[in-house]
Amino acid sequence: MSVRPILAALILISGAGLTGCNTQSAGNEEVEDPASFYEEKDVSLVIPYDTGGGTDVFGRFVAPYFGEFLSGEPDIQPENIPGGGSITGSNEYANTMEPDGTNLLATSGSTHIPFLLDQASVEYDLSKLNPVLGFPTGGMVYASPSTGIEEPGDLQEVDEELIYAGISASGLDLVTLLAFEVLDLDVEAVMGYEGRGPSRIAFEQGESNIDYQTTSAYKENVEPMEESGEAVPLFTFGQINDQGEMERDPAFPDTPALQEVYEEIHGEKPSGVTWDAYKNFVSAAYTVQKIIWVHDDAPEASKQALKNSVEEMVENEEFLAESEKVMEEYEPFDQEELQELVNNMNNTSEDVVEWVREFLLEEYDTDVEEL
């Protein structure tokens, strides 16, 4: 028997022993060890929004925890690249940043919606990114008592025209507009407000009489109005589970989700393309509203290291206690559930997307091919 194969095997074993702290053998290829991948590396976390906004707060909250729980404790540097409602920074991340595991991206629902609509300015592809960490949030729709509405079932019989103050029909307002469509409500939507704060002020001043606010803004600014009789809570957008079914928003367990209001008014469960569109966009805009991503073609060692760090992170008492404050008591998804929700989002049917595009064009004169 020739000794060459034996000698070759001994050399390989010896080499693996010398380099085993940094690499692992995978057939004839050597791959980096997740435990040492991030040693002496700097990591950029791209936040495609201005400083001070919700996604910026989220990104800057989780960045030091990634630095703490990633093996090697790399330096995580948040980098704001605002513009185009998050499209500019997301495009830059996808097109110019190396998929080497040292670049992460923080997104929000207003990043996910333009992607689903295949907006002309979108160059990033969420199906080519790997979700690492995700959180939900929610929203509450409420009305003025001047409408005569005292409870959700009264939505079909109002004393005055319903007027909604929004920002952009193709942004997060889309979910609200789809909710009105599901319920077959006749609502005049006035777009062009600069944010949900100005929209709420329009409600307070009587310029509008039906509105929505995200969970944090509602609890801080609208619940006092509710208690004083100046606002009537109607329904939450609900949360979509990984099976595609609607559940009540855990932040408002005593308030019905949209599906329940529909059933109360119409005596049956909602169905059809309008309902499918609503569920898909609620999931993309709220159920998986905040996500940290890494390039899907990043090194496997980096993706495994990030996964390991998140598994530790979401079990850490300090992180969970702080996230309750920042994320309004919403809990992070486990990674299997997050991946399933992202898969469902990325697999939104072409029929649903085309229906929404036509809905925006016909009802709100919004052509996504020009955005």
Side-chain angles (χ1 to χ4, degrees):
M1 177 184 296
S2 171
V3 298
R4 289 182 179 177
I6 297 174
L7 288 173
L10 289 171
I11 291 170
L12 283 173
I13 292 170
S14 176
L18 290 171
T19 61
C21 60
N22 295 312
T23 61
Q24 297 175 335
S25 177
N28 292 326
E29 298 181 0
E30 290 184 341
V31 296
E32 292 180 85
D33 182 359
S36 59
F37 181 86
Y38 282 102
E39 288 181 358
E40 300 181 357
K41 284 186 171 71
D42 292 328
V43 177
S44 172
L45 173 59
V46 174
I47 302 171
Y49 297 87
D50 280 314
T51 57
T55 307
D56 180 63
V57 171
F58 166 68
R60 291 177 184 277
F61 161 65
V62 300
Y65 284 100
F66 272 108
E68 176 182 349
F69 287 99
L70 274 170
S71 296
E73 299 185 355
D75 185 24
I76 313 292
Q77 290 293 332
E79 179 183 0
N80 294 87
I81 308 178
S86 80
I87 292 175
T88 300
S90 299
N91 283 346
E92 184 169 333
Y93 178 84
N95 293 334
T96 68
M97 296 199 172
E98 289 295 324
D100 58 6
T102 66
N103 296 299
L104 306 177
L105 174 69
T107 64
S108 185
S110 53
T111 319
H112 310 155
I113 288 175
F115 166 72
L116 289 184
L117 292 176
D118 195 20
Q119 218 167 275
S121 55
V122 169
E123 298 170 7
Y124 57 90
D125 185 347
L126 296 181
S127 69
K128 294 181 179 178
L129 299 179
N130 187 71
V132 175
L133 174 68
F135 275 89
T137 191
M140 172 80 83
V141 176
Y142 58 100
S144 168
S146 68
T147 60
I149 297 172
E150 297 181 355
E151 56 185 28
D154 296 335
L155 275 166
Q156 293 296 306
E157 300 177 6
V158 295
D159 295 339
E160 58 185 47
E161 181 184 22
L162 294 176
I163 301 174
Y164 173 76
I167 304 167
S168 167
S170 61
L172 287 179
D173 288 299
L174 175 59
V175 172
T176 316
L177 302 178
L178 289 172
F180 296 155
E181 189 73 9
V182 168
L183 293 173
D184 195 25
L185 298 181
D186 185 11
V187 180
E188 180 184 352
V190 180
M191 296 297 163
Y193 287 81
E194 295 183 357
R196 294 315 310 161
S199 295
R200 189 193 73 252
I201 292 172
F203 178 90
E204 294 172 358
Q205 295 177 341
E207 298 173 21
S208 67
N209 53 20
I210 189 166
D211 187 41
Y212 98 88
Q213 294 290 324
T214 58
T215 298
S216 58
Y218 186 87
K219 289 191 172 187
E220 180 177 351
N221 300 304
V222 185
E223 280 189 347
M225 297 169 59
E226 178 186 331
E227 293 169 2
S228 64
E230 300 171 271
V232 179
L234 299 177
F235 57 85
T236 70
F237 294 133
Q239 295 290 332
I240 309 299
N241 62 28
D242 58 357
Q243 302 301 311
E245 299 301 322
M246 176 168 284
E247 300 174 344
R248 282 196 175 190
D249 190 320
F252 301 101
D254 298 325
T255 303
L258 176 68
Q259 177 176 331
E260 299 171 77
V261 175
Y262 182 95
E263 291 178 17
E264 179 183 352
I265 293 173
H266 297 282
E268 61 182 4
K269 292 184 176 182
S271 61
V273 66
T274 308
W275 176 240
D276 290 340
Y278 177 79
K279 288 196 299 179
N280 275 278
F281 281 87
V282 165
S283 183
Y286 290 98
T287 301
V288 284
Q289 206 210 38
K290 303 292 189 218
I291 304 180
I292 302 294
W293 310 79
V294 68
H295 293 99
D296 197 42
D297 53 351
E300 288 302 318
S302 71
K303 292 190 286 186
Q304 186 61 50
L306 289 164
K307 177 180 178 181
N308 294 344
S309 71
V310 169
E311 287 177 349
E312 290 186 51
M313 193 187 305
V314 299
E315 296 294 329
N316 180 265
E317 292 184 3
E318 178 189 338
F319 173 79
L320 291 175
E322 290 300 313
S323 70
E324 282 188 4
K325 301 174 187 177
V326 175
M327 303 306 297
E328 288 295 329
E329 301 184 7
Y330 292 101
E331 297 180 355
F333 294 109
D334 66 52
Q335 292 183 331
E336 183 177 345
E337 187 177 20
L338 174 61
Q339 186 64 63
E340 189 63 32
L341 286 164
V342 168
N343 289 345
N344 291 342
M345 177 174 69
N346 289 334
N347 291 326
T348 300
S349 78
E350 293 183 6
D351 290 343
V352 163
V353 172
E354 185 58 32
W355 183 90
V356 173
R357 288 164 63 100
E358 291 179 7
F359 168 74
L360 286 171
L361 184 59
E362 294 174 6
E363 299 295 330
Y364 300 98
D365 196 27
T366 299
D367 187 349
V368 298
E369 292 185 1
E370 297 180 356
L371 297 177

